[in-house]
């Protein structure tokens, strides 16, 4: 339970019990609960956005989409967006390994990072807008599933790829993440997605397909990072989660659009 609360406090701005003393082991062991943290984010966001779409009868899809994009950022403090921007600035800088790592550590946003964030924002807001037009149920299922999938992809990236820095906050994650951790998180993800059956069986199928597509994107992106800097970093973890969520939402939209077109 302590490891879960540490993961919740680290990945979000939600404080159930404030953890002030973190050991390296408890910090690292919190990784296996990342999908559960994603589920909490998903429940909060799906409840709020779903309520907006339901009570406005789908007449404000752009507004609903914008709120759907903003809420996870508010709940997480933008930690994953920061990782995406730093990763884009470094990996696409065309520099050598050490310079890339230095750029990624710089807190200032560069042009590549800004462009990457704008593209993700545009895609996600438009995707959520179209989901709002399809149905409130599809919208809620997508918003609930995406953060879970994103955090599972973080676990896979942490456990399957070497840590690129000699030191860093993400090193504790990598040190205590094993294949057993990945297996635990995968089973956890599936169990967290089972309630989607209560809405419609097809939503669970959408979630499974979205997970597979997110995995393919994650694996390619982490491999790209490994080719550039010899592994992954905390910024890559955040970028992975952001990209996985975006592709999960797009998968729900494409399947939903095809289903409603019949």
């Amino acid at each position: 339970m302590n490891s879960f609360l540490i993961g919740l406090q680290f990945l979000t701005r939600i404080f159930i019990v404030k953890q002030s003393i973190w050991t390296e082991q408890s910090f690292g062991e919190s990784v296996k609960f990342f999908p559960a943290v994603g589920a909490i984010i998903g429940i909060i966001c799906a409840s709020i956005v779903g309520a907006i779409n339901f009570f406005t009868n789908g007449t404000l899809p752009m507004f609903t989409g914008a709120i759907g994009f903003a809420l996870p950022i508010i709940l997480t403090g933008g930690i994953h967006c920061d990782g995406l921007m730093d990763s884009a600035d470094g990996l696409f800088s065309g520099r050598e390994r050490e310079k890339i790592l230095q750029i990624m550590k710089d807190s200032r946003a560069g042009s590549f990072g800004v462009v990457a964030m704008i593209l993700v924002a545009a895609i996600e807001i438009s995707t959520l807008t179209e989901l709002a037009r399809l149905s409130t149920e599809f919208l809620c299922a997508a918003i609930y599933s995406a953060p879970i999938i994103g955090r599972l992809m973080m676990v896979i990236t942490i456990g399957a790829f070497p840590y690129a820095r000699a030191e860093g906050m993400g090193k504790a994650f990598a040190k205590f993440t094993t294949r057993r951790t990945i297996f635990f998180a995968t089973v956890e993800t599936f169990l967290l997605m089972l309630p989607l059956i209560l809405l419609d069986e097809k939503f669970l199928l959408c979630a499974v397909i979205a997970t597979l597509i997110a995995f393919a994107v994650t694996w390619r992106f982490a491999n790209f990072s490994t080719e550039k800097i010899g592994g992954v970093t905390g910024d890559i973890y955040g970028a992975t989660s952001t990209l996985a969520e975006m592709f999960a939402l797009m998968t729900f939209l494409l399947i939903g659009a095809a289903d409603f077109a019949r």
Side-chain angles (χ1 to χ4, degrees):
M1 186 64 178
N2 184 58
S3 295
F4 166 72
L5 292 175
I6 288 174
L8 181 66
Q9 183 173 322
F10 177 74
L11 293 180
T12 73
R13 293 296 180 265
I14 302 170
F15 298 96
I16 296 177
V17 177
K18 188 172 182 179
Q19 303 289 316
S20 57
I21 300 175
W22 296 356
T23 65
E24 185 183 51
Q25 182 173 353
S26 60
F27 191 64
E29 289 179 349
S30 68
V31 172
K32 63 177 175 284
F33 296 111
F34 279 8
V37 174
I40 291 176
I41 296 171
I43 289 171
I44 295 172
C45 293
S47 299
I48 295 173
V49 177
I52 292 172
N53 202 56
F54 178 79
F55 287 111
T56 61
N57 199 27
T59 57
L60 298 174
M62 182 66 76
F63 173 75
T64 303
I67 295 297
F69 172 74
L71 275 177
I73 296 176
I74 294 170
L75 289 174
T76 60
I79 185 173
H80 304 314
C81 296
D82 180 68
L84 172 70
M85 295 174 74
D86 287 343
S87 298
D89 282 334
L91 295 177
F92 296 104
S93 65
R95 308 293 183 85
E96 297 299 320
R97 178 182 182 275
E98 293 305 321
K99 185 61 177 177
I100 291 175
L101 289 172
Q102 184 180 342
I103 292 171
M104 290 170 69
K105 200 170 184 179
D106 192 335
S107 60
R108 294 170 297 182
S111 57
F112 287 110
V114 172
V115 169
M117 194 64 241
I118 290 174
L119 288 174
V120 169
I123 292 171
E124 285 202 10
I125 291 174
S126 61
T127 299
L128 289 166
T129 297
E130 294 305 320
L131 280 167
R133 288 193 175 110
L134 285 182
S135 75
T136 298
E137 291 80 6
F138 244 113
L139 177 66
C140 288
I143 291 177
Y144 170 71
S145 302
I148 301 173
I149 295 170
R151 275 59 184 185
L152 173 62
M153 295 308 130
M154 284 182 70
V155 178
I156 292 173
T157 304
I158 293 168
F161 292 88
Y163 192 67
R165 298 185 188 275
E167 299 293 336
M169 187 177 291
K171 192 170 184 180
F173 289 152
K175 182 178 179 180
F176 291 96
T177 301
T178 63
R179 290 181 179 178
R180 182 176 295 181
T181 308
I182 296 175
F183 177 76
F184 181 95
T186 302
V187 174
E188 177 187 349
T189 296
F190 180 73
L191 292 176
L192 289 168
M193 288 178 174
L194 279 179
L196 291 172
I197 295 178
L198 298 177
L199 291 174
D200 197 308
E201 290 182 2
K202 64 187 173 188
F203 293 149
L204 179 59
L205 177 60
C206 286
V208 171
I209 295 173
T211 302
L212 294 175
I213 291 175
F215 173 76
V217 172
T218 295
W219 199 262
R220 182 66 196 98
F221 181 67
N223 267 308
F224 176 70
S225 173
T226 302
E227 292 167 5
K228 288 285 186 179
I229 58 176
V232 294
T233 67
D235 286 323
I236 300 298
Y237 300 159
T240 295
S241 178
T242 301
L243 292 174
E245 286 187 55
M246 182 182 73
F247 276 91
L249 291 172
M250 288 194 296
T251 302
F252 267 87
L253 175 61
L254 292 174
I255 294 176
D259 184 63
F260 276 85
R262 293 176 183 175

